[in-house]
């Protein structure tokens, strides 16, 4: 039985606030039963007594890290526990996201993840669950960014007289970065060049990056014989490789485990709404 009914002894609470999901320290952390609020504990070892900082002190820092990750408001319930895989691919993606988060070591960052699939199949859910775990449970500085926000951040940077590099600096340096909806939108040459720079820098420094896309990862369009030119054109337009270019695309694959959900996977948002309406 948890002692604190509000946070179930997690010592933090996660809630919506405007456009973001935010975390705050639970009131129970102020009256820590482990250290009695002093912030330190005493550990006996080989007849000596050592003073150690209590776990309650790290909660404030982790809450700050979570808030700096800037998860959108709709991610408030996105955790690994609330994600139920319906296909082998979703199971695999969850496994990779969870392993990346749980086993994260700052001194040897692991390969990231690129997950591709139709709309409403839990891609954003998995990205956000990973960042939530990394910040709140492991204490790793992380950042979530949707591609169109990333582009507007670059643009705002330019307008404020910054170089492209200055504009993306916080995203280059953060330990774990999640880029959502990569391949979406037109992306001017300038924007794509800056994205290329961001990914190249993270690649060179070996930092962990997570990606989600609605576009297909399939390497070839029109594989296996004749394909109607119209169909070929449609397939080509839905390929991430075509949208982001060869350089970015090949780096993504070196940096990440790649998982593609089946194209006929149903949209969870629609079925969630349908089941709510039926109640
Ligand atoms: N396998 C799943 N288990 C639980 N919830 C899911 C799953 N797949 C999708 N959802 C839910 O469906 C909604 C849409 O998911 P989202 O991650 O935004 O989709 P995507 O980013 O793939 O378009 C969210 O509320 C999400 O929690
Ligand atoms: Mg999404
Ligand atoms: Zn509490
Ligand atoms: Zn304490």
């Amino acid at each position: 039985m948890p002692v604190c009914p509000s946070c179930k002894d997690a010592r933090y609470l996660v809630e919506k606030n405007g456009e973001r999901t935010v975390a705050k320290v639970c009131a129970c952390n102020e009256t820590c039963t482990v250290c009695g609020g002093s912030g330190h504990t005493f550990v006996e070892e080989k007849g000596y007594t050592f003073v150690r900082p209590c776990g309650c002190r790290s909660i404030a820092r982790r809450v700050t890290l979570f808030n700096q990750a800037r998860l959108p408001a709709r991610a408030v319930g996105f955790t690994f526990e609330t994600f139920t895989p319906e296909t082998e691919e979703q199971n695999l993606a969850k496994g990779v996201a969870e392993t990346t988060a749980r086993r994260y070591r700052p001194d040897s960052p692991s390969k990231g993840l690129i997950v591709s699939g139709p709309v409403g199949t839990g891609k954003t859910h998995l990205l956000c669950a990973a960042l939530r775990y990394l910040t709140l449970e492991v204490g790793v500085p992380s950042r979530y960014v949707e591609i169109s926000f990333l582009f507007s951040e670059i643009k705002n940077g330019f307008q404020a007289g910054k170089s492209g590099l200055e504009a993306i600096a916080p995203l280059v340096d953060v330990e774990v970065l999640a880029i959502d909806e990569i391949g979406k939108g037109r992306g001017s040459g300038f924007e794509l060049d800056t994205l290329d720079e961001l990914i190249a820098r993270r690649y060179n420094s070996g930092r962990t990056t997570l990606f989600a896309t609605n576009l297909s990862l399939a390497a070839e369009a029109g594989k296996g014989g004749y394909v109607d030119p119209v169909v070929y054109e449609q397939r080509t337009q839905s390929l991430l490789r075509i949208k982001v270019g060869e350089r970015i695309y090949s780096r993504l694959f070196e940096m990440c485990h790649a998982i593609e959900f089946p194209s006929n996977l149903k949209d969870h948002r629609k079925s969630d709404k349908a089941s709510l309406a039926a109640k």
Side-chain angles (χ1 to χ4, degrees), residues 4-48:
C4 176
S6 311
C7 70
K8 311 274 186 295
D9 296 346
R11 298 183 180 224
Y12 55 77
L13 299 162
V14 174
E15 59 193 29
K16 282 185 196 185
N17 186 344
E19 293 181 349
R20 298 264 165 78
T21 295
V22 296
K24 64 180 190 190
V25 179
C26 184
C28 71
N29 198 53
E30 304 306 324
T31 54
C32 176
T33 50
V34 178
C35 67
S38 68
H40 53 259
T41 55
F42 298 98
V43 186
E44 301 283 338
E45 235 172 73
K46 295 182 183 143
Y48 293 93

Side-chain angles (χ1 to χ4, degrees), residues 183-248:
K184 189 174 134 183
R186 293 195 61 80
S188 67
F190 227 1
E191 289 166 353
L192 278 182
D193 285 349
T194 315
L195 180 66
D196 188 17
E197 182 84 32
L198 168 61
I199 291 172
R201 284 183 178 254
R202 293 192 63 85
Y203 171 81
N204 289 336
S205 56
R207 293 206 193 280
T208 303
T209 313
L210 312 172
F211 300 90
T213 181
N214 292 333
L215 298 175
S216 178
L217 304 178
E220 286 169 56
K223 203 175 176 182
Y226 174 78
V227 176
D228 183 306
V230 177
V231 174
Y232 181 84
E233 179 64 17
Q234 281 168 351
R235 283 192 195 165
T236 306
Q237 288 312 312
S238 67
L239 286 177
L240 182 65
R241 181 167 58 88
I242 302 299
K243 280 303 276 284
V244 298
E246 211 57 63
R247 260 163 65 93
I248 292 181

Side-chain angles (χ1 to χ4, degrees), residues 12-269:
Y12 55 77
L13 299 162
V14 174
E15 59 193 29
K16 282 185 196 185
N17 186 344
E19 293 181 349
R20 298 264 165 78
T21 295
V22 296
K24 64 180 190 190
V25 179
C26 184
C28 71
N29 198 53
E30 304 306 324
T31 54
C32 176
T33 50
V34 178
C35 67
S38 68
H40 53 259
T41 55
F42 298 98
V43 186
E44 301 283 338
E45 235 172 73
K46 295 182 183 143
Y48 293 93
T49 304
F50 297 92
V51 181
R52 291 271 183 276
C54 181
C56 66
R57 296 293 117 160
S58 63
I59 295 291
R61 179 179 166 266
R62 291 175 178 203
V63 159
T64 302
L65 289 177
F66 179 86
N67 294 334
Q68 287 169 344
R70 303 205 214 175
L71 301 195
R74 66 184 199 87
V76 69
F78 292 1
T79 65
F80 291 127
E81 288 73 29
T82 59
F83 186 86
T84 318
E86 286 153 9
T87 64
E88 189 48 45
E89 292 82 359
Q90 283 181 320
N91 193 36
L92 208 61
K94 182 185 176 181
V96 173
E98 207 164 356
T99 307
T100 305
R102 285 185 192 272
R103 307 232 181 109
Y104 188 81
R105 295 278 170 279
D107 46 346
S108 64
S110 56
K111 244 182 169 182
L113 166 70
I114 175 159
V115 53
S116 147
V119 175
T121 53
K123 304 182 299 295
T124 299
H125 188 131
L126 283 177
L127 255 44
C128 291
L131 296 197
R132 177 167 174 163
Y133 194 94
L134 281 161
T135 50
L136 289 173
E137 300 297 328
V138 195
V140 179
S142 310
R143 185 58 210 279
Y144 170 90
V145 69
E146 209 240 277
I147 198 80
S148 53
F149 284 97
L150 189 148
F151 287 150
S152 62
E153 211 161 297
I154 296 169
K155 234 178 271 166
N156 290 343
F158 286 148
Q159 274 157 12
K162 286 185 187 173
S163 69
L165 210 62
E166 283 169 324
I168 57 165
L171 302 175
V172 170
D173 294 330
V174 72
E175 284 213 33
V176 179
L177 175 66
I179 302 181
D180 205 351
E181 307 267 17
I182 187 164
K184 189 174 134 183
R186 293 195 61 80
S188 67
F190 227 1
E191 289 166 353
L192 278 182
D193 285 349
T194 315
L195 180 66
D196 188 17
E197 182 84 32
L198 168 61
I199 291 172
R201 284 183 178 254
R202 293 192 63 85
Y203 171 81
N204 289 336
S205 56
R207 293 206 193 280
T208 303
T209 313
L210 312 172
F211 300 90
T213 181
N214 292 333
L215 298 175
S216 178
L217 304 178
E220 286 169 56
K223 203 175 176 182
Y226 174 78
V227 176
D228 183 306
V230 177
V231 174
Y232 181 84
E233 179 64 17
Q234 281 168 351
R235 283 192 195 165
T236 306
Q237 288 312 312
S238 67
L239 286 177
L240 182 65
R241 181 167 58 88
I242 302 299
K243 280 303 276 284
V244 298
E246 211 57 63
R247 260 163 65 93
I248 292 181
Y249 190 73
S250 63
R251 282 220 181 87
L252 292 181
F253 271 75
E254 283 187 58
M255 296 165 86
C256 296
H257 299 280
I259 297 168
E260 181 150 1
F261 295 164
S263 57
N264 60 356
L265 205 58
K266 69 178 196 311
D267 185 342
H268 230 276
R269 277 176 277 207

